[in-house]
Amino acid sequence: MAIYTKRLMIRALSVADDYAAYAALTALPEVSAGAGFDLISNPRMMPSALKRQLRSPGSYGLFKDDELIGAILLFERIGQSGQASEQHAEISYFLAPSAWHCGYMVEALMALIEELQQRQVIKTIVAEAFSDNQASINLLKRLGFSFVTELRDPIIGRQKVVYELVLSPICG
């Protein structure tokens, strides 16, 4: 499946086609720190971690003129019961710093959310952002996400905010 927007193509990532570009993108200091890749203390573990992400069915690349400029990672959310639910998802996303503040992520997320609404499987999407990442918080608000709570990330030790989007069923 590929989704086309005015400026982007969004498609599933794969190890065979996208590993080198994905590794280069996640190695950028701003991306690594913001997405938590810098928490992997053993550099030899990074290729394995990246390949696992690329194999995940919810890993999408954002391509502009055939260049990977970002990613959206969509995972089944683990509920209070400890079980994953395909009806509830958690989303994370990142862009190359050269693509920041150009509207690419809002464009991509709007298109992906529309696609998910049409599929009518996922009912809610949760997203977290660092409390000081105003651009990401503004993005979530613009997309219709509602504030849920603020918490201190136990691994990173930084404040985060949690937002949720309830997908509206499409009537046909």
Side-chain angles (χ1 to χ4, degrees):
M1 164 199 83
I3 300 170
Y4 294 90
T5 70
K6 184 177 177 181
R7 302 178 294 167
L8 302 171
M9 177 187 60
I10 304 148
R11 68 162 173 79
L13 291 166
S14 75
V15 174
D17 296 332
D18 304 310
Y19 178 79
Y22 192 73
L25 179 63
T26 58
L28 296 171
E30 301 91 338
V31 172
S32 181
F37 294 109
D38 61 342
L39 297 174
I40 298 176
S41 59
N42 182 344
R44 290 183 287 177
M45 291 175 60
M46 187 58 92
S48 176
L50 296 179
K51 288 175 184 174
R52 271 195 311 277
Q53 280 187 343
L54 292 175
R55 288 184 187 111
S56 173
S59 295
Y60 299 95
L62 283 56
F63 294 85
K64 178 165 177 46
D65 302 325
D66 295 324
E67 177 188 354
L68 180 67
I69 63 164
I72 299 172
L73 308 172
L74 192 65
F75 303 100
E76 289 180 344
R77 188 164 170 219
I78 307 298
Q80 291 184 359
S81 67
Q83 300 297 316
S85 170
E86 69 177 26
Q87 293 183 344
H88 305 286
E90 191 166 328
I91 196 166
S92 61
Y93 45 85
F94 52 86
L95 282 172
S98 62
W100 290 357
H101 308 293
C102 297
Y104 294 127
M105 191 54 75
V106 73
E107 184 177 325
L109 285 170
M110 286 175 77
L112 183 60
I113 288 168
E114 184 179 312
E115 176 70 24
L116 295 173
Q117 283 181 303
Q118 289 178 4
R119 291 185 195 175
Q120 298 186 20
V121 175
I122 294 176
K123 295 184 179 181
T124 63
I125 302 172
V126 169
E128 296 179 0
F130 290 117
S131 298
D132 61 355
N133 187 344
Q134 198 58 53
S136 190
I137 293 168
N138 290 343
L139 169 68
L140 294 171
K141 289 178 180 179
R142 183 173 176 187
L143 293 167
F145 281 73
S146 299
F147 175 81
V148 175
T149 191
E150 186 167 356
L151 54 90
R152 186 165 190 81
D153 187 292
I155 297 171
I156 301 170
R158 289 177 60 195
Q159 287 297 111
K160 283 185 165 183
V161 288
V162 180
Y163 281 80
E164 181 179 55
L165 177 68
V166 177
L167 297 182
S168 304
I170 294 179
C171 300

